[in-house]
Amino acid sequence: MAVESIMTTYNRLSVAFERGEGSWLYDTDGNKYLDALSGIAVCGLGHSHPAVTHAICEQAGKVLHTSNLYTIPNQQQLAERLTQISGMENVFFGNSGAEANEAAIKLARRYGHTVRNIDNPAIIVMEDSFHGRTMATLSATGNRSAQAGFEPLVSGFVRAPYDDIDAIKKIAENNPNIVAILVEPIQGESGIQIPADDYLNQIRAICDNNDWLMMLDEVQSGNGRSGKYFAYQHNDILPDVVTTAKGLGNGVPIGACLAKGVAATILTAGTHGSTYGGNPLSCAAALAVVNTIMDENLCERAEILGNRIANGFREQLGQAGYVNEVRNKGMLIAIELSEAGSELAVLAKVKGILLNVTGGGKVVRMLPPLTMTDSEAELLVNTLSQIIRVYAADERSSEAKEDGPEGERRA
Ligand SMILES: Cc1ncc(COP(=O)(O)O)c(C=O)c1O
C-alpha cells in the first residue's frame, strides 16, 4: 500500500491557494474565494497586508533569528505594546497557541508549588474547551474524541461544564489542590459558545476568594476579533494570565503568555524556554499586526461589522427551520444548524466562500478578516444564506423521500 508523504492528520478540501489579497484567496487554477475563515482566525488583517509584508521583508534583510541568549529589541517592543494594551505586566513568547497554553499551565503549577505550597496542583478546565494538541494542552482540552488513543493523559486537570459558575463553586468547596482556572472567554472550536455576560466577572471573584490564578485562553478570541483587543476587556476585569497566538502574527507563527501580579513573577530564568519563541522575524510581524489593529481601530470595526454580518444572517435565515441560532461576538460568528451539515464547507467552497463547520458538524463557523469591506460582508451574507436555504430544502426533500410514502405525505 502506498504511504502518503504527509501524515494523514488532516481532512483537507481539494483546493490549493497560491496567493491572497485582502479577504480573497486565489487557487492554482485562478479561481477566487472570499475567505471567511482567515486560516482559522489567523489572518485578521487579511492576506498580503502591506504593513505586515513590509515588516517581514525589512526584518528578513536584517536578521531573522538570534536566540533568547541575547537581547531582542523588537521582542521587548512587542512585549511593551502588548502589556500596555492588555493591562498585564510581562510576556513569554512561544510559537503557537498550544505553546502559549503550555507556558500558562506550567506557570500555574509552579505557582502552586512555590506560592501555595501545594504538592499536586490542579487546574480547573471546561467541558468542550480546546487548548491545543500537545500532551498537556490536549489533557486540558474538553473533547474526548481528540484525547482518545493518547492516554495516559497529563493529570492535574479538574473539569467543569462551561458557563456553570455553581459547578466551579462546588469544586472550590471540595478540592484544596486547585491553583488556577483556565478558560476561553468564548469557546471557539466547539462552535463559538458565548457565556453569560458576567461569567468572567464571577470567575474573577471566585479566583480572588480562593487565591487561584484566573487564566484566559484568548488564542482564538484575542487580537481584536471579539470587538475588543482581548475579549475579557468587554467585562472590565483583568485576568492573572492571558494567552494568545493565531491573529497575533497574521500567519507568522507566534504565541504569547502574558501575566500580571504574582503570576508575573513565577517563570524565572531557566524555568521555561523556546528556541524560536519571540524571534526577530515573528516579533517584527506581530508588532506590525498589533500597531495596525490599534491604529486603524480594527477592534471597533470587528464589533460593528461582526454584528452587521450576524444580523444579515438573522434576517435572511430567521425563518429557515434548519437554523437554530445565529450568534456572534464581534467577528466570531456562528450559524448553528438543527442537524449536522458538514457538507456545507464543501458546498460553500464550490460557490467561492471559505468557512468551516465545527461543533459536532452543526455549527457553521466564520472568522473573517477584521479588514473585510462592507460589500464583501454583504456578498458573504447573501451567498451563504442562499447556499444554506438550498441545502436545507434539499435535505428536507431527501429526508421525505427516505421516509417513504408516509414521509412524502407528511412533506
Ligand atoms: C482557544 C484555542 N486555544 C489553543 C489553540 C491551539 O492553538 P495552536 O493550534 O496554535 O497550537 C486553539 C486552536 O484552535 C484555540 O482555538
Side-chain angles (χ1 to χ4, degrees), residues 24-354:
W24 297 90
L25 278 170
Y26 297 81
D27 73 13
T28 41
D29 297 325
N31 301 309
K32 64 188 247 182
Y33 301 80
L34 183 58
D35 187 1
L37 194 59
S38 309
I40 321 182
V42 168
C43 304
L45 301 186
H47 302 282
S48 310
H49 191 286
V52 183
T53 306
H54 175 75
I56 293 171
C57 292
E58 193 180 50
Q59 189 61 47
K62 290 188 197 160
V63 64
L64 290 177
H65 180 85
T66 53
S67 94
N68 283 302
L69 296 176
Y70 311 105
T71 302
I72 301 176
N74 66 1
Q75 184 185 105
Q76 185 63 39
Q77 274 175 282
L78 177 62
E80 279 165 19
R81 194 80 170 101
L82 284 173
T83 52
Q84 175 205 5
I85 291 169
S86 63
M88 298 290 106
E89 285 166 33
N90 58 18
V91 191
F92 171 83
F93 289 106
N95 306 287
S96 66
E99 217 184 316
N101 285 333
E102 282 278 343
I105 291 165
K106 286 181 70 177
L107 189 159
R109 285 187 167 200
R110 212 172 137 78
Y111 163 78
H113 286 285
T114 59
V115 179
R116 299 277 316 279
N117 268 322
I118 293 176
D119 288 338
N120 287 303
I123 301 171
I124 298 181
V125 289
M126 305 305 155
E127 281 168 15
D128 301 319
S129 61
F130 188 83
H131 298 296
R133 299 278 193 168
T134 60
M135 275 316 302
T137 58
L138 179 69
S139 305
T141 288
N143 177 340
R144 264 307 294 150
S145 64
Q147 294 169 338
F150 297 106
E151 299 84 358
L153 299 175
V154 174
S155 62
F157 296 105
V158 177
R159 208 165 295 286
Y162 191 58
D163 199 13
D164 185 341
I165 289 295
D166 287 342
I168 296 174
K169 285 184 178 159
K170 240 179 232 149
I171 296 172
E173 281 164 21
N174 298 319
N175 194 330
N177 286 336
I178 302 295
V179 294
I181 296 184
L182 174 63
V183 58
E184 294 159 87
I186 297 150
Q187 285 189 334
E189 295 304 296
S190 65
I192 316 294
Q193 305 298 342
I194 304 166
D197 284 348
D198 66 346
Y199 184 52
L200 295 186
N201 303 74
Q202 297 225 42
I203 289 182
R204 179 69 273 175
I206 295 172
C207 287
D208 287 342
N209 289 340
N210 291 282
D211 281 338
W212 297 348
L213 299 181
M214 177 179 184
M215 310 204 296
L216 297 180
D217 178 343
E218 295 236 23
V219 168
Q220 190 159 153
S221 59
N223 306 296
R225 181 154 295 281
S226 78
K228 300 276 185 195
Y229 196 91
F230 287 111
Y232 65 79
Q233 292 169 327
H234 290 281
N235 290 73
D236 223 8
I237 49 126
L238 286 177
D240 300 292
V241 174
V242 56
T243 61
T244 194
K246 287 190 181 276
L248 181 58
N250 212 59
V252 177
I254 183 165
C257 173
L258 297 90
K260 76 157 183 49
V262 65
T265 67
I266 303 294
L267 294 180
T268 50
T271 58
H272 194 47
S274 170
T275 296
Y276 287 125
N279 83 1
L281 178 70
S282 61
C283 289
L287 259 176
V289 170
V290 177
N291 288 336
T292 304
I293 292 173
M294 298 308 284
D295 295 348
E296 298 185 3
N297 292 327
L298 291 179
C299 301
E300 203 183 323
R301 171 79 184 153
E303 176 141 45
I304 292 168
L305 193 61
N307 289 342
R308 193 179 303 157
I309 292 172
N311 285 335
F313 283 124
R314 283 184 196 109
E315 273 164 33
Q316 298 214 23
L317 294 170
Q319 308 308 317
Y322 192 67
V323 171
N324 273 354
E325 187 188 28
V326 177
R327 53 179 177 263
N328 81 297
K329 190 87 179 173
M331 294 284 253
L332 294 130
I333 305 165
I335 301 174
E336 187 176 303
L337 310 171
S338 57
E339 291 160 39
S342 301
E343 310 86 82
L344 278 167
V346 182
L347 296 174
K349 188 209 84 177
V350 170
K351 299 278 183 199
I353 304 275
L354 302 176

